[in-house]
Amino acid sequence: MNWNIEIGKQISMILSIVVMILMIIKYRKTGKENLFFIIGYLLFSLIDIFCYFYYKLTSQPTDLFYVIGFLMIVFFLYLLYYYQLLYVPLLKKIQAGILVLFVLNIAVMFYTEDHLLHHFSFNMLYVDILLLLFSIILFLYQTFNSDKILEINNYLPFWISVALLILFIGSIPILFFRATVSESIYFLILFMLNLTSNSILILGLIWNKQDRII
Protein backbone atom coordinates (compact mmCIF):
# COMPACT_ATOMS: atom_id res chain seq x y z
CA MET A 1 0.00 0.00 0.00
CA ASN A 2 1.36 3.42 -0.99
CA TRP A 3 1.96 5.97 1.74
CA ASN A 4 -0.67 8.71 1.70
CA ILE A 5 1.40 11.89 1.81
CA GLU A 6 -1.57 14.17 2.56
CA ILE A 7 -2.71 12.12 5.55
CA GLY A 8 0.86 12.09 6.84
CA LYS A 9 1.09 15.88 6.64
CA GLN A 10 -2.24 16.28 8.40
CA ILE A 11 -1.25 13.89 11.22
CA SER A 12 2.04 15.78 11.62
CA MET A 13 0.17 19.08 11.91
CA ILE A 14 -2.22 17.66 14.51
CA LEU A 15 0.72 16.31 16.49
CA SER A 16 2.45 19.70 16.33
CA ILE A 17 -0.72 21.37 17.61
CA VAL A 18 -0.83 18.90 20.53
CA VAL A 19 2.80 19.75 21.39
CA MET A 20 2.08 23.50 21.16
CA ILE A 21 -0.93 23.18 23.47
CA LEU A 22 1.14 21.20 25.98
CA MET A 23 3.91 23.80 25.84
CA ILE A 24 1.44 26.60 26.56
CA ILE A 25 -0.34 24.69 29.35
CA LYS A 26 2.87 23.61 31.06
CA TYR A 27 4.90 26.75 30.40
CA ARG A 28 4.91 27.84 34.06
CA LYS A 29 6.45 24.49 35.03
CA THR A 30 8.93 24.23 32.17
CA GLY A 31 10.72 27.36 33.28
CA LYS A 32 11.84 30.49 31.49
CA GLU A 33 15.03 28.70 30.42
CA ASN A 34 13.07 26.92 27.66
CA LEU A 35 11.44 30.08 26.29
CA PHE A 36 13.62 30.41 23.17
CA PHE A 37 12.98 26.81 22.15
CA ILE A 38 9.24 27.14 22.76
CA ILE A 39 9.06 30.30 20.63
CA GLY A 40 11.11 28.62 17.90
CA TYR A 41 8.95 25.51 17.91
CA LEU A 42 5.71 27.51 17.89
CA LEU A 43 6.98 29.66 15.03
CA PHE A 44 8.09 26.70 12.91
CA SER A 45 4.85 24.79 13.51
CA LEU A 46 2.72 27.83 12.64
CA ILE A 47 4.78 28.45 9.50
CA ASP A 48 4.37 24.81 8.48
CA ILE A 49 0.60 24.88 9.03
CA PHE A 50 0.22 28.25 7.31
CA CYS A 51 2.26 27.15 4.28
CA TYR A 52 0.25 23.94 3.94
CA PHE A 53 -3.04 25.81 3.59
CA TYR A 54 -1.49 28.74 1.71
CA TYR A 55 -0.21 26.39 -1.01
CA LYS A 56 -3.52 24.52 -1.06
CA LEU A 57 -5.44 27.74 -1.65
CA THR A 58 -3.07 29.63 -3.96
CA SER A 59 -0.64 27.04 -5.44
CA GLN A 60 2.03 29.70 -4.89
CA PRO A 61 5.57 28.81 -3.69
CA THR A 62 6.15 28.98 0.06
CA ASP A 63 9.97 29.04 -0.01
CA LEU A 64 10.15 32.60 1.29
CA PHE A 65 8.36 31.70 4.53
CA TYR A 66 10.60 28.69 5.15
CA VAL A 67 13.86 30.46 4.28
CA ILE A 68 13.24 33.47 6.52
CA GLY A 69 11.09 31.84 9.19
CA PHE A 70 12.73 28.42 9.49
CA LEU A 71 16.30 28.62 8.18
CA MET A 72 17.02 32.03 9.69
CA ILE A 73 14.74 32.83 12.63
CA VAL A 74 13.89 29.38 14.04
CA PHE A 75 17.44 28.05 13.89
CA PHE A 76 18.73 31.27 15.43
CA LEU A 77 16.28 30.85 18.32
CA TYR A 78 17.39 27.23 18.79
CA LEU A 79 21.07 28.25 18.87
CA LEU A 80 20.25 31.08 21.26
CA TYR A 81 18.41 28.55 23.42
CA TYR A 82 21.57 26.50 23.86
CA TYR A 83 23.65 29.61 24.45
CA GLN A 84 21.33 30.41 27.35
CA LEU A 85 21.52 26.85 28.75
CA LEU A 86 25.32 26.74 28.76
CA TYR A 87 27.00 28.09 31.91
CA VAL A 88 30.52 26.62 31.64
CA PRO A 89 32.57 29.64 30.45
CA LEU A 90 34.49 27.81 27.71
CA LEU A 91 31.38 26.11 26.34
CA LYS A 92 29.48 29.39 26.39
CA LYS A 93 32.26 31.08 24.41
CA ILE A 94 32.21 28.26 21.86
CA GLN A 95 28.44 28.64 21.54
CA ALA A 96 28.85 32.38 21.02
CA GLY A 97 31.23 31.51 18.18
CA ILE A 98 28.60 29.17 16.72
CA LEU A 99 26.08 32.04 16.75
CA VAL A 100 28.59 34.23 14.90
CA LEU A 101 29.15 31.45 12.33
CA PHE A 102 25.39 31.19 11.87
CA VAL A 103 25.11 34.89 11.01
CA LEU A 104 28.15 34.68 8.73
CA ASN A 105 26.63 31.69 6.94
CA ILE A 106 23.51 33.70 6.15
CA ALA A 107 25.68 36.48 4.70
CA VAL A 108 27.68 33.97 2.62
CA MET A 109 24.52 32.31 1.32
CA PHE A 110 23.11 35.67 0.22
CA TYR A 111 26.35 36.29 -1.67
CA THR A 112 26.76 32.84 -3.25
CA GLU A 113 23.17 31.80 -3.98
CA ASP A 114 21.02 33.69 -6.43
CA HIS A 115 17.45 34.46 -5.38
CA LEU A 116 18.01 32.94 -1.93
CA LEU A 117 14.65 34.14 -0.64
CA HIS A 118 12.79 32.56 -3.51
CA HIS A 119 14.01 28.97 -3.24
CA PHE A 120 14.62 26.71 -0.27
CA SER A 121 18.38 26.47 0.30
CA PHE A 122 19.41 22.96 1.31
CA ASN A 123 23.01 24.17 1.60
CA MET A 124 21.94 26.61 4.29
CA LEU A 125 19.87 23.90 5.95
CA TYR A 126 22.86 21.51 6.13
CA VAL A 127 25.04 24.19 7.75
CA ASP A 128 22.24 25.15 10.18
CA ILE A 129 21.81 21.50 11.19
CA LEU A 130 25.56 21.06 11.67
CA LEU A 131 25.78 24.14 13.92
CA LEU A 132 22.75 22.98 15.91
CA LEU A 133 24.24 19.50 16.37
CA PHE A 134 27.48 21.03 17.71
CA SER A 135 25.38 23.11 20.12
CA ILE A 136 23.52 20.03 21.35
CA ILE A 137 26.81 18.17 21.85
CA LEU A 138 28.13 21.04 23.99
CA PHE A 139 24.96 21.00 26.05
CA LEU A 140 24.99 17.22 26.54
CA TYR A 141 28.67 17.34 27.55
CA GLN A 142 27.82 19.95 30.18
CA THR A 143 24.76 18.00 31.36
CA PHE A 144 26.53 14.65 31.71
CA ASN A 145 29.26 16.31 33.75
CA SER A 146 26.87 17.98 36.19
CA ASP A 147 24.35 17.05 38.86
CA LYS A 148 21.60 17.25 36.22
CA ILE A 149 22.49 13.70 35.23
CA LEU A 150 20.88 12.54 38.49
CA GLU A 151 17.48 13.92 37.46
CA ILE A 152 17.80 13.52 33.70
CA ASN A 153 14.29 12.07 33.28
CA ASN A 154 12.77 15.27 34.65
CA TYR A 155 15.09 17.64 32.78
CA LEU A 156 13.16 19.00 29.78
CA PRO A 157 16.18 20.45 27.89
CA PHE A 158 17.60 16.92 27.71
CA TRP A 159 14.43 15.58 26.04
CA ILE A 160 14.32 18.57 23.72
CA SER A 161 17.90 17.79 22.69
CA VAL A 162 17.11 14.11 22.08
CA ALA A 163 14.10 15.08 19.96
CA LEU A 164 16.16 17.52 17.88
CA LEU A 165 18.96 14.98 17.42
CA ILE A 166 16.58 12.34 16.14
CA LEU A 167 14.79 14.77 13.83
CA PHE A 168 17.82 16.40 12.24
CA ILE A 169 20.37 13.58 12.24
CA GLY A 170 17.73 11.29 10.82
CA SER A 171 16.72 13.79 8.14
CA ILE A 172 20.22 14.42 6.76
CA PRO A 173 20.48 11.20 4.67
CA ILE A 174 16.98 11.44 3.22
CA LEU A 175 17.43 15.14 2.43
CA PHE A 176 20.79 14.48 0.77
CA PHE A 177 19.39 11.66 -1.38
CA ARG A 178 15.99 13.30 -1.92
CA ALA A 179 16.44 13.28 -5.71
CA THR A 180 17.06 9.52 -5.85
CA VAL A 181 14.14 8.24 -3.73
CA SER A 182 10.45 8.26 -4.50
CA GLU A 183 8.29 11.06 -3.13
CA SER A 184 6.28 8.53 -1.13
CA ILE A 185 9.35 7.13 0.67
CA TYR A 186 10.77 10.62 1.17
CA PHE A 187 7.68 11.91 2.96
CA LEU A 188 7.17 8.65 4.86
CA ILE A 189 10.64 8.88 6.41
CA LEU A 190 10.16 12.56 7.24
CA PHE A 191 6.80 11.71 8.80
CA MET A 192 8.33 8.97 10.97
CA LEU A 193 11.11 11.31 12.12
CA ASN A 194 8.58 14.01 12.92
CA LEU A 195 6.36 11.52 14.75
CA THR A 196 9.26 10.21 16.85
CA SER A 197 10.61 13.67 17.62
CA ASN A 198 7.24 15.10 18.66
CA SER A 199 6.43 12.00 20.74
CA ILE A 200 9.66 12.53 22.69
CA LEU A 201 8.76 16.19 23.22
CA ILE A 202 5.34 15.18 24.53
CA LEU A 203 6.90 12.68 26.96
CA GLY A 204 9.43 15.28 28.07
CA LEU A 205 6.70 17.85 28.71
CA ILE A 206 4.62 15.33 30.66
CA TRP A 207 7.56 14.03 32.74
CA ASN A 208 9.01 17.46 33.40
CA LYS A 209 8.74 18.26 37.11
CA GLN A 210 10.49 21.63 37.30
CA ASP A 211 8.30 23.62 39.61
CA ARG A 212 10.49 26.67 39.89
CA ILE A 213 9.70 29.80 37.92
CA ILE A 214 12.84 31.57 36.80
Side-chain angles (χ1 to χ4, degrees):
M1 183 178 69
N2 291 330
W3 169 247
N4 190 309
I5 296 173
E6 286 301 307
I7 291 178
K9 289 180 179 179
Q10 291 165 11
I11 293 174
S12 294
M13 286 191 293
I14 292 171
L15 197 57
S16 295
I17 292 171
V18 171
V19 175
M20 287 192 288
I21 292 173
L22 267 176
M23 284 179 171
I24 294 170
I25 292 174
K26 296 180 71 67
Y27 172 70
R28 290 179 64 84
K29 288 189 176 181
T30 59
K32 196 175 179 180
E33 63 182 5
N34 297 301
L35 180 60
F36 285 124
F37 173 77
I38 292 173
I39 294 174
Y41 183 92
L42 292 175
L43 178 60
F44 176 57
S45 297
L46 292 174
I47 290 172
D48 207 32
I49 294 170
F50 167 78
C51 288
Y52 175 82
F53 290 105
Y54 178 80
Y55 183 78
K56 282 282 187 184
L57 293 172
T58 67
S59 297
Q60 296 296 315
T62 57
D63 301 73
L64 176 66
F65 303 109
Y66 281 109
V67 171
I68 296 178
F70 179 51
L71 296 182
M72 296 182 186
I73 299 176
V74 171
F75 268 98
F76 179 75
L77 288 170
Y78 285 173
L79 295 177
L80 200 59
Y81 170 63
Y82 284 103
Y83 177 80
Q84 178 186 284
L85 288 177
L86 293 170
Y87 54 80
V88 176
L90 177 60
L91 300 183
K92 202 169 185 70
K93 288 180 181 178
I94 295 174
Q95 186 62 20
I98 289 175
L99 282 166
V100 172
L101 288 175
F102 175 81
V103 175
L104 288 175
N105 179 55
I106 293 176
V108 169
M109 289 300 172
F110 268 110
Y111 180 76
T112 59
E113 295 196 16
D114 296 328
H115 310 294
L116 178 64
L117 298 180
H118 300 290
H119 72 89
F120 189 85
S121 173
F122 283 94
N123 290 330
M124 182 183 286
L125 176 61
Y126 295 143
V127 175
D128 285 354
I129 291 175
L130 186 62
L131 293 176
L132 181 60
L133 293 181
F134 277 131
S135 303
I136 294 173
I137 290 171
L138 294 178
F139 166 73
L140 292 178
Y141 176 82
Q142 173 181 273
T143 300
F144 289 132
N145 287 278
S146 71
D147 293 338
K148 287 293 184 182
I149 191 65
L150 301 176
E151 53 182 30
I152 201 73
N153 286 341
N154 301 325
Y155 190 37
L156 182 57
F158 170 75
W159 293 110
I160 289 173
S161 299
V162 172
L164 292 176
L165 282 174
I166 289 175
L167 178 62
F168 289 116
I169 290 181
S171 64
I172 289 176
I174 190 62
L175 290 173
F176 190 77
F177 294 107
R178 65 190 180 279
T180 62
V181 298
S182 69
E183 187 180 55
S184 179
I185 294 176
Y186 175 77
F187 281 103
L188 173 60
I189 293 175
L190 289 181
F191 168 77
M192 294 304 297
L193 290 170
N194 185 271
L195 176 65
T196 304
S197 177
N198 278 320
S199 297
I200 290 172
L201 283 177
I202 290 173
L203 287 175
L205 287 164
I206 292 173
W207 288 343
N208 178 69
K209 297 186 185 302
Q210 288 176 277
D211 292 321
R212 60 190 175 87
I213 302 174
I214 300 175

